[in-house]
mmCIF file of all heavy atoms in Angstrom:
data_model
loop_
_atom_site.group_PDB
_atom_site.id
_atom_site.type_symbol
_atom_site.label_atom_id
_atom_site.label_comp_id
_atom_site.label_asym_id
_atom_site.label_seq_id
_atom_site.Cartn_x
_atom_site.Cartn_y
_atom_site.Cartn_z
ATOM 1 N N LEU A 256 1.671 18.711 -5.738
ATOM 2 C CA LEU A 256 0.917 17.741 -4.944
ATOM 3 C C LEU A 256 -0.061 18.429 -3.982
ATOM 4 O O LEU A 256 -1.119 17.885 -3.664
ATOM 5 C CB LEU A 256 1.871 16.852 -4.168
ATOM 6 C CG LEU A 256 2.634 15.809 -4.980
ATOM 7 C CD1 LEU A 256 3.553 15.016 -4.088
ATOM 8 C CD2 LEU A 256 1.699 14.887 -5.742
ATOM 9 N N ASP A 257 0.290 19.635 -3.544
ATOM 10 C CA ASP A 257 -0.612 20.372 -2.654
ATOM 11 C C ASP A 257 -1.993 20.581 -3.319
ATOM 12 O O ASP A 257 -3.016 20.593 -2.649
ATOM 13 C CB ASP A 257 -0.035 21.697 -2.265
ATOM 14 C CG ASP A 257 1.012 21.580 -1.182
ATOM 15 O OD1 ASP A 257 1.083 20.508 -0.556
ATOM 16 O OD2 ASP A 257 1.790 22.550 -0.972
ATOM 17 N N ARG A 258 -1.988 20.745 -4.626
ATOM 18 C CA ARG A 258 -3.210 20.954 -5.371
ATOM 19 C C ARG A 258 -3.945 19.661 -5.675
ATOM 20 O O ARG A 258 -5.170 19.606 -5.701
ATOM 21 C CB ARG A 258 -2.927 21.717 -6.700
ATOM 22 C CG ARG A 258 -2.420 23.138 -6.496
ATOM 23 C CD ARG A 258 -2.219 23.822 -7.848
ATOM 24 N NE ARG A 258 -3.448 23.946 -8.548
ATOM 25 C CZ ARG A 258 -4.320 24.947 -8.397
ATOM 26 N NH1 ARG A 258 -4.072 25.886 -7.532
ATOM 27 N NH2 ARG A 258 -5.430 25.007 -9.117
ATOM 28 N N LEU A 259 -3.176 18.587 -5.920
ATOM 29 C CA LEU A 259 -3.751 17.356 -6.351
ATOM 30 C C LEU A 259 -3.977 16.363 -5.178
ATOM 31 O O LEU A 259 -4.938 15.607 -5.188
ATOM 32 C CB LEU A 259 -2.864 16.679 -7.396
ATOM 33 C CG LEU A 259 -2.678 17.427 -8.714
ATOM 34 C CD1 LEU A 259 -1.690 16.744 -9.586
ATOM 35 C CD2 LEU A 259 -4.031 17.645 -9.445
ATOM 36 N N GLU A 260 -3.030 16.332 -4.239
ATOM 37 C CA GLU A 260 -3.071 15.353 -3.179
ATOM 38 C C GLU A 260 -2.808 16.079 -1.870
ATOM 39 O O GLU A 260 -1.666 16.190 -1.397
ATOM 40 C CB GLU A 260 -2.035 14.285 -3.407
ATOM 41 C CG GLU A 260 -2.212 13.561 -4.761
ATOM 42 C CD GLU A 260 -1.407 12.292 -4.851
ATOM 43 O OE1 GLU A 260 -1.697 11.349 -4.061
ATOM 44 O OE2 GLU A 260 -0.502 12.208 -5.639
ATOM 45 N N PRO A 261 -3.828 16.569 -1.206
ATOM 46 C CA PRO A 261 -3.675 17.481 -0.085
ATOM 47 C C PRO A 261 -3.015 16.914 1.158
ATOM 48 O O PRO A 261 -2.539 17.676 2.037
ATOM 49 C CB PRO A 261 -5.119 17.923 0.245
ATOM 50 C CG PRO A 261 -5.968 16.784 -0.298
ATOM 51 C CD PRO A 261 -5.269 16.304 -1.507
ATOM 52 N N PHE A 262 -2.907 15.576 1.263
ATOM 53 C CA PHE A 262 -2.280 14.986 2.462
ATOM 54 C C PHE A 262 -0.836 14.574 2.182
ATOM 55 O O PHE A 262 -0.130 14.166 3.121
ATOM 56 C CB PHE A 262 -3.068 13.748 2.890
ATOM 57 C CG PHE A 262 -4.572 14.038 2.940
ATOM 58 C CD1 PHE A 262 -5.421 13.392 2.062
ATOM 59 C CD2 PHE A 262 -5.106 14.906 3.853
ATOM 60 C CE1 PHE A 262 -6.776 13.649 2.089
ATOM 61 C CE2 PHE A 262 -6.464 15.155 3.891
ATOM 62 C CZ PHE A 262 -7.311 14.529 2.989
ATOM 63 N N ALA A 263 -0.366 14.707 0.956
ATOM 64 C CA ALA A 263 0.973 14.195 0.630
ATOM 65 C C ALA A 263 2.078 15.021 1.299
ATOM 66 O O ALA A 263 3.143 14.468 1.582
ATOM 67 C CB ALA A 263 1.158 14.229 -0.894
ATOM 68 N N ARG A 264 1.864 16.304 1.570
ATOM 69 C CA ARG A 264 2.891 17.137 2.154
ATOM 70 C C ARG A 264 3.418 16.540 3.478
ATOM 71 O O ARG A 264 4.585 16.715 3.833
ATOM 72 C CB ARG A 264 2.381 18.571 2.379
ATOM 73 C CG ARG A 264 3.359 19.504 3.043
ATOM 74 C CD ARG A 264 2.860 20.907 3.091
ATOM 75 N NE ARG A 264 2.965 21.549 1.803
ATOM 76 C CZ ARG A 264 4.039 22.263 1.402
ATOM 77 N NH1 ARG A 264 5.043 22.382 2.216
ATOM 78 N NH2 ARG A 264 4.075 22.825 0.213
ATOM 79 N N ASP A 265 2.529 15.854 4.207
ATOM 80 C CA ASP A 265 2.925 15.224 5.466
ATOM 81 C C ASP A 265 4.161 14.339 5.258
ATOM 82 O O ASP A 265 5.109 14.337 6.073
ATOM 83 C CB ASP A 265 1.803 14.392 6.063
ATOM 84 C CG ASP A 265 0.664 15.257 6.581
ATOM 85 O OD1 ASP A 265 0.802 16.504 6.618
ATOM 86 O OD2 ASP A 265 -0.371 14.678 6.961
ATOM 87 N N LEU A 266 4.141 13.557 4.206
ATOM 88 C CA LEU A 266 5.220 12.593 3.974
ATOM 89 C C LEU A 266 6.510 13.302 3.530
ATOM 90 O O LEU A 266 7.600 12.765 3.719
ATOM 91 C CB LEU A 266 4.804 11.593 2.893
ATOM 92 C CG LEU A 266 3.995 10.339 3.337
ATOM 93 C CD1 LEU A 266 4.858 9.419 4.163
ATOM 94 C CD2 LEU A 266 2.739 10.690 4.001
ATOM 95 N N PHE A 267 6.406 14.525 2.945
ATOM 96 C CA PHE A 267 7.546 15.280 2.548
ATOM 97 C C PHE A 267 8.195 15.985 3.716
ATOM 98 O O PHE A 267 9.350 16.404 3.609
ATOM 99 C CB PHE A 267 7.128 16.322 1.504
ATOM 100 C CG PHE A 267 7.115 15.787 0.071
ATOM 101 C CD1 PHE A 267 5.898 15.378 -0.474
ATOM 102 C CD2 PHE A 267 8.258 15.689 -0.694
ATOM 103 C CE1 PHE A 267 5.845 14.859 -1.768
ATOM 104 C CE2 PHE A 267 8.218 15.182 -1.973
ATOM 105 C CZ PHE A 267 7.007 14.770 -2.535
ATOM 106 N N THR A 268 7.472 16.147 4.787
ATOM 107 C CA THR A 268 7.972 16.993 5.898
ATOM 108 C C THR A 268 8.198 16.205 7.184
ATOM 109 O O THR A 268 8.913 16.699 8.071
ATOM 110 C CB THR A 268 6.960 18.116 6.210
ATOM 111 O OG1 THR A 268 5.678 17.577 6.487
ATOM 112 C CG2 THR A 268 6.857 19.060 5.051
ATOM 113 N N GLU A 269 7.647 14.984 7.317
ATOM 114 C CA GLU A 269 7.843 14.192 8.506
ATOM 115 C C GLU A 269 8.150 12.743 8.170
ATOM 116 O O GLU A 269 7.794 12.255 7.101
ATOM 117 C CB GLU A 269 6.608 14.234 9.403
ATOM 118 C CG GLU A 269 6.330 15.570 10.075
ATOM 119 C CD GLU A 269 5.355 15.436 11.246
ATOM 120 O OE1 GLU A 269 5.746 14.822 12.274
ATOM 121 O OE2 GLU A 269 4.238 15.874 11.080
ATOM 122 N N GLU A 270 8.856 12.101 9.078
ATOM 123 C CA GLU A 270 9.169 10.689 8.915
ATOM 124 C C GLU A 270 7.924 9.891 9.293
ATOM 125 O O GLU A 270 7.110 10.290 10.116
ATOM 126 C CB GLU A 270 10.350 10.280 9.786
ATOM 127 C CG GLU A 270 11.666 10.974 9.460
ATOM 128 C CD GLU A 270 12.222 10.544 8.109
ATOM 129 O OE1 GLU A 270 11.789 9.507 7.553
ATOM 130 O OE2 GLU A 270 13.112 11.275 7.604
ATOM 131 N N ILE A 271 7.847 8.666 8.745
ATOM 132 C CA ILE A 271 6.714 7.809 8.977
ATOM 133 C C ILE A 271 6.554 7.459 10.430
ATOM 134 O O ILE A 271 5.436 7.232 10.929
ATOM 135 C CB ILE A 271 6.802 6.530 8.066
ATOM 136 C CG1 ILE A 271 6.486 6.895 6.620
ATOM 137 C CG2 ILE A 271 5.863 5.427 8.581
ATOM 138 C CD1 ILE A 271 6.735 5.784 5.632
ATOM 139 N N GLY A 272 7.663 7.460 11.161
ATOM 140 C CA GLY A 272 7.623 7.159 12.577
ATOM 141 C C GLY A 272 6.639 8.085 13.331
ATOM 142 O O GLY A 272 6.185 7.687 14.423
ATOM 143 N N ALA A 273 6.351 9.242 12.807
ATOM 144 C CA ALA A 273 5.413 10.180 13.492
ATOM 145 C C ALA A 273 4.014 9.599 13.571
ATOM 146 O O ALA A 273 3.244 10.029 14.462
ATOM 147 C CB ALA A 273 5.387 11.507 12.734
ATOM 148 N N TRP A 274 3.650 8.625 12.746
ATOM 149 C CA TRP A 274 2.291 8.099 12.711
ATOM 150 C C TRP A 274 2.229 6.635 13.109
ATOM 151 O O TRP A 274 1.163 6.044 13.108
ATOM 152 C CB TRP A 274 1.708 8.279 11.311
ATOM 153 C CG TRP A 274 1.819 9.682 10.829
ATOM 154 C CD1 TRP A 274 1.205 10.804 11.340
ATOM 155 C CD2 TRP A 274 2.695 10.182 9.801
ATOM 156 N NE1 TRP A 274 1.609 11.929 10.664
ATOM 157 C CE2 TRP A 274 2.559 11.574 9.727
ATOM 158 C CE3 TRP A 274 3.584 9.556 8.928
ATOM 159 C CZ2 TRP A 274 3.232 12.371 8.800
ATOM 160 C CZ3 TRP A 274 4.286 10.326 8.006
ATOM 161 C CH2 TRP A 274 4.108 11.726 7.956
ATOM 162 N N LEU A 275 3.361 6.064 13.452
ATOM 163 C CA LEU A 275 3.367 4.691 13.920
ATOM 164 C C LEU A 275 2.843 4.609 15.363
ATOM 165 O O LEU A 275 2.939 5.578 16.094
ATOM 166 C CB LEU A 275 4.759 4.124 13.858
ATOM 167 C CG LEU A 275 5.296 3.789 12.460
ATOM 168 C CD1 LEU A 275 6.799 3.530 12.515
ATOM 169 C CD2 LEU A 275 4.555 2.594 11.850
ATOM 170 N N PRO A 276 2.278 3.463 15.742
ATOM 171 C CA PRO A 276 1.817 3.302 17.129
ATOM 172 C C PRO A 276 2.939 3.558 18.124
ATOM 173 O O PRO A 276 4.096 3.194 17.890
ATOM 174 C CB PRO A 276 1.343 1.841 17.181
ATOM 175 C CG PRO A 276 1.082 1.474 15.749
ATOM 176 C CD PRO A 276 2.044 2.253 14.921
ATOM 177 N N LYS A 277 2.596 4.190 19.215
ATOM 178 C CA LYS A 277 3.597 4.495 20.262
ATOM 179 C C LYS A 277 3.735 3.282 21.179
ATOM 180 O O LYS A 277 3.210 3.218 22.265
ATOM 181 C CB LYS A 277 3.166 5.732 21.042
ATOM 182 C CG LYS A 277 2.964 6.970 20.190
ATOM 183 C CD LYS A 277 4.242 7.343 19.433
ATOM 184 C CE LYS A 277 4.099 8.650 18.673
ATOM 185 N NZ LYS A 277 3.313 8.503 17.455
ATOM 186 N N CYS A 278 4.469 2.278 20.701
ATOM 187 C CA CYS A 278 4.688 1.076 21.464
ATOM 188 C C CYS A 278 6.000 0.460 21.038
ATOM 189 O O CYS A 278 6.645 0.941 20.067
ATOM 190 C CB CYS A 278 3.548 0.088 21.247
ATOM 191 S SG CYS A 278 3.437 -0.579 19.605
ATOM 192 N N ASP A 279 6.423 -0.585 21.693
ATOM 193 C CA ASP A 279 7.666 -1.248 21.353
ATOM 194 C C ASP A 279 7.401 -2.591 20.661
ATOM 195 O O ASP A 279 8.214 -3.515 20.755
ATOM 196 C CB ASP A 279 8.510 -1.468 22.602
ATOM 197 C CG ASP A 279 7.809 -2.270 23.669
ATOM 198 O OD1 ASP A 279 6.628 -2.599 23.451
ATOM 199 O OD2 ASP A 279 8.425 -2.535 24.718
ATOM 200 N N GLY A 280 6.293 -2.657 19.922
ATOM 201 C CA GLY A 280 5.932 -3.909 19.308
ATOM 202 C C GLY A 280 6.520 -4.180 17.955
ATOM 203 O O GLY A 280 6.199 -5.164 17.295
ATOM 204 N N PHE A 281 7.489 -3.349 17.530
ATOM 205 C CA PHE A 281 8.138 -3.546 16.241
ATOM 206 C C PHE A 281 9.484 -2.856 16.244
ATOM 207 O O PHE A 281 9.751 -1.983 17.089
ATOM 208 C CB PHE A 281 7.257 -2.975 15.123
ATOM 209 C CG PHE A 281 6.866 -1.540 15.307
ATOM 210 C CD1 PHE A 281 7.699 -0.514 14.849
ATOM 211 C CD2 PHE A 281 5.753 -1.195 16.017
ATOM 212 C CE1 PHE A 281 7.382 0.820 15.055
ATOM 213 C CE2 PHE A 281 5.401 0.123 16.229
ATOM 214 C CZ PHE A 281 6.233 1.141 15.726
ATOM 215 N N VAL A 282 10.346 -3.252 15.310
ATOM 216 C CA VAL A 282 11.652 -2.608 15.134
ATOM 217 C C VAL A 282 11.896 -2.307 13.659
ATOM 218 O O VAL A 282 11.314 -2.987 12.785
ATOM 219 C CB VAL A 282 12.772 -3.517 15.697
ATOM 220 C CG1 VAL A 282 12.654 -3.685 17.194
ATOM 221 C CG2 VAL A 282 12.780 -4.853 14.962
ATOM 222 N N THR A 283 12.676 -1.301 13.392
ATOM 223 C CA THR A 283 13.071 -1.017 12.023
ATOM 224 C C THR A 283 14.225 -1.897 11.591
ATOM 225 O O THR A 283 15.266 -1.917 12.296
ATOM 226 C CB THR A 283 13.476 0.477 11.870
ATOM 227 O OG1 THR A 283 12.336 1.294 12.243
ATOM 228 C CG2 THR A 283 13.853 0.810 10.438
ATOM 229 N N VAL A 284 14.086 -2.602 10.482
ATOM 230 C CA VAL A 284 15.151 -3.441 10.028
ATOM 231 C C VAL A 284 15.827 -2.896 8.772
ATOM 232 O O VAL A 284 16.941 -3.270 8.434
ATOM 233 C CB VAL A 284 14.661 -4.896 9.751
ATOM 234 C CG1 VAL A 284 14.222 -5.554 11.047
ATOM 235 C CG2 VAL A 284 13.528 -4.900 8.742
ATOM 236 N N SER A 285 15.130 -1.991 8.088
ATOM 237 C CA SER A 285 15.693 -1.367 6.867
ATOM 238 C C SER A 285 15.019 -0.056 6.554
ATOM 239 O O SER A 285 13.797 0.059 6.738
ATOM 240 C CB SER A 285 15.556 -2.324 5.678
ATOM 241 O OG SER A 285 16.036 -1.764 4.474
ATOM 242 N N ASP A 286 15.812 0.930 6.150
ATOM 243 C CA ASP A 286 15.256 2.228 5.789
ATOM 244 C C ASP A 286 16.061 2.754 4.590
ATOM 245 O O ASP A 286 17.117 3.361 4.759
ATOM 246 C CB ASP A 286 15.348 3.231 6.973
ATOM 247 C CG ASP A 286 14.623 4.514 6.674
ATOM 248 O OD1 ASP A 286 14.116 4.724 5.567
ATOM 249 O OD2 ASP A 286 14.590 5.375 7.575
ATOM 250 N N GLN A 287 15.517 2.455 3.387
ATOM 251 C CA GLN A 287 16.255 2.829 2.170
ATOM 252 C C GLN A 287 15.623 4.083 1.549
ATOM 253 O O GLN A 287 14.378 4.231 1.582
ATOM 254 C CB GLN A 287 16.160 1.695 1.135
ATOM 255 C CG GLN A 287 16.751 0.377 1.621
ATOM 256 C CD GLN A 287 16.624 -0.715 0.601
ATOM 257 O OE1 GLN A 287 17.035 -0.556 -0.568
ATOM 258 N NE2 GLN A 287 16.061 -1.869 0.969
ATOM 259 N N ARG A 288 16.444 4.956 1.000
ATOM 260 C CA ARG A 288 15.993 6.187 0.338
ATOM 261 C C ARG A 288 16.393 6.155 -1.129
ATOM 262 O O ARG A 288 17.440 5.624 -1.494
ATOM 263 C CB ARG A 288 16.570 7.406 1.038
ATOM 264 C CG ARG A 288 16.260 7.474 2.536
ATOM 265 C CD ARG A 288 14.769 7.619 2.788
ATOM 266 N NE ARG A 288 14.409 7.334 4.199
ATOM 267 C CZ ARG A 288 13.873 8.246 4.989
ATOM 268 N NH1 ARG A 288 13.652 9.493 4.603
ATOM 269 N NH2 ARG A 288 13.569 7.904 6.257
ATOM 270 N N PHE A 289 15.569 6.757 -1.944
ATOM 271 C CA PHE A 289 15.795 6.749 -3.396
ATOM 272 C C PHE A 289 15.576 8.153 -3.950
ATOM 273 O O PHE A 289 14.813 8.962 -3.386
ATOM 274 C CB PHE A 289 14.795 5.776 -4.091
ATOM 275 C CG PHE A 289 14.833 4.381 -3.529
ATOM 276 C CD1 PHE A 289 14.089 4.032 -2.439
ATOM 277 C CD2 PHE A 289 15.636 3.391 -4.146
ATOM 278 C CE1 PHE A 289 14.080 2.740 -1.935
ATOM 279 C CE2 PHE A 289 15.624 2.107 -3.659
ATOM 280 C CZ PHE A 289 14.856 1.763 -2.533
ATOM 281 N N PHE A 290 16.206 8.416 -5.095
ATOM 282 C CA PHE A 290 15.985 9.611 -5.897
ATOM 283 C C PHE A 290 16.168 10.894 -5.018
ATOM 284 O O PHE A 290 15.279 11.672 -4.909
ATOM 285 C CB PHE A 290 14.575 9.568 -6.475
ATOM 286 C CG PHE A 290 14.398 10.469 -7.678
ATOM 287 C CD1 PHE A 290 15.242 10.355 -8.780
ATOM 288 C CD2 PHE A 290 13.359 11.394 -7.741
ATOM 289 C CE1 PHE A 290 15.053 11.159 -9.892
ATOM 290 C CE2 PHE A 290 13.185 12.197 -8.821
ATOM 291 C CZ PHE A 290 14.027 12.113 -9.915
ATOM 292 N N GLY A 291 17.380 11.012 -4.459
ATOM 293 C CA GLY A 291 17.658 12.187 -3.666
ATOM 294 C C GLY A 291 16.819 12.270 -2.378
ATOM 295 O O GLY A 291 16.526 13.358 -1.891
ATOM 296 N N GLY A 292 16.431 11.078 -1.890
ATOM 297 C CA GLY A 292 15.624 11.048 -0.669
ATOM 298 C C GLY A 292 14.156 11.278 -0.845
ATOM 299 O O GLY A 292 13.425 11.324 0.140
ATOM 300 N N MET A 293 13.700 11.398 -2.077
ATOM 301 C CA MET A 293 12.298 11.728 -2.330
ATOM 302 C C MET A 293 11.334 10.538 -2.093
ATOM 303 O O MET A 293 10.159 10.732 -1.775
ATOM 304 C CB MET A 293 12.114 12.225 -3.756
ATOM 305 C CG MET A 293 10.746 12.786 -4.068
ATOM 306 S SD MET A 293 10.831 13.661 -5.666
ATOM 307 C CE MET A 293 9.095 13.819 -6.031
#
Side-chain angles (χ1 to χ4, degrees):
L256 288 179
D257 282 345
R258 294 182 63 86
L259 297 175
E260 303 194 64
F262 313 112
R264 178 174 284 269
D265 290 353
L266 275 293
F267 276 97
T268 56
E269 290 197 70
E270 297 291 345
I271 286 174
W274 308 292
L275 287 168
K277 302 301 186 284
C278 66
D279 58 357
F281 55 89
V282 295
T283 300
V284 295
S285 177
D286 187 357
Q287 301 179 53
R288 304 296 166 117
F289 305 86
F290 201 55
M293 188 167 165

